[in-house]
Amino acid sequence: MATRTDAPTRREQILKEAARLFAERGFHGVGVDEIGAAVGISGPGLYRHFPGKDAMLAELLVGISGQLLTGAKRRLAEADGEGPGTVLDSLIEGHIDFALDDRPLITLHDRELDRLRDSDRKLVRQLQRQYVELWVDVVRKAYPALTEPSARSAVHSVFGLLNSTPHLGRPGALPGRGTTAELLHRMARGAFGAASGSD
């Protein structure tokens, strides 16, 4: 997949605009023609890239779950030899990047996951479980007093906190990306510390 510094492909442009429109108006409130207009091609031209809206939705939701897991594994590999607190900080930073940069996908996941085919929905859940368990392992190393069930509950709670970004107002209303990211990071660390009784 292209990195953030690469120019997006037409397919990626379509997915980005589809995510934005689906999040704003709901899956059934957006037509193929509108998605096409947002990227400067005719609605029928979209069918060269996707067979339909259902395929776009599936690629968006399966794709972001896979990207989060892949990114977390990469961060673990890059932090090899670092202390568990440093590794956890890296995971938190990665999820904050997602939560601030891909806010429409959070809204889309919350509203539209049940519209996926069973096989796609199961794949999303499978990827998400792997992502959670990766975090649980790191959290328990950083906070040894936490039991596995408590660590898992804390991870889900922190995800709820970090994934609240769509409710923080429009990006221009936030205090600035760096300040918001720092605040979210402190709150996430504070939540883990509170769960373990260390803060």
Side-chain angles (χ1 to χ4, degrees):
M1 179 174 176
T3 65
R4 292 190 186 281
T5 57
D6 293 332
T9 65
R10 179 50 60 94
R11 187 180 180 87
E12 289 167 339
Q13 291 173 343
I14 292 168
L15 286 173
K16 180 178 179 180
E17 290 304 315
R20 179 182 66 80
L21 290 168
F22 291 160
E24 288 177 358
R25 301 184 207 166
F27 180 74
H28 287 305
V30 178
V32 171
D33 288 342
E34 293 174 273
I35 299 171
V39 293
I41 61 177
S42 67
L46 285 181
Y47 293 111
R48 290 196 296 271
H49 301 277
F50 296 95
K53 289 197 308 178
D54 289 339
M56 293 180 208
L57 182 64
E59 185 155 337
L60 284 165
L61 295 182
V62 174
I64 194 56
S65 297
Q67 289 168 38
L68 282 170
L69 179 59
T70 299
K73 288 179 176 178
R74 187 189 68 249
R75 285 174 176 270
L76 284 183
E78 290 172 350
D80 187 37
E82 299 285 350
T86 301
V87 177
L88 179 57
D89 284 335
S90 182
L91 288 181
I92 292 171
E93 288 166 8
H95 199 98
I96 288 173
D97 284 343
F98 156 69
L100 292 177
D101 295 339
D102 294 306
R103 293 165 69 184
L105 288 175
I106 297 173
T107 301
L108 201 58
H109 178 278
D110 290 345
R111 290 183 187 166
E112 311 290 358
L113 181 63
D114 288 343
R115 297 195 189 281
L116 294 183
R117 295 179 305 173
D118 286 346
S119 58
D120 289 327
R121 189 166 57 250
K122 287 177 182 177
L123 179 55
V124 169
R125 294 301 192 196
Q126 178 186 8
L127 292 167
Q128 290 175 338
R129 282 193 297 272
Q130 292 177 47
Y131 185 60
V132 168
E133 294 311 310
L134 184 150
W135 273 68
V136 168
D137 183 60
V138 172
V139 168
R140 292 197 70 202
K141 289 175 181 173
Y143 297 95
L146 279 175
T147 64
E148 185 173 324
S150 294
R152 189 171 290 106
S153 294
V155 167
H156 281 292
S157 296
V158 167
F159 287 171
L161 165 69
L162 300 181
N163 291 345
S164 68
T165 52
H167 308 290
L168 299 180
R170 295 192 175 277
L174 299 178
R177 193 186 191 287
T179 301
T180 302
E182 183 180 347
L183 174 62
L184 289 171
H185 198 126
R186 287 202 311 270
M187 292 173 72
R189 270 301 210 144
F192 286 128
S196 71
S198 63
D199 286 334

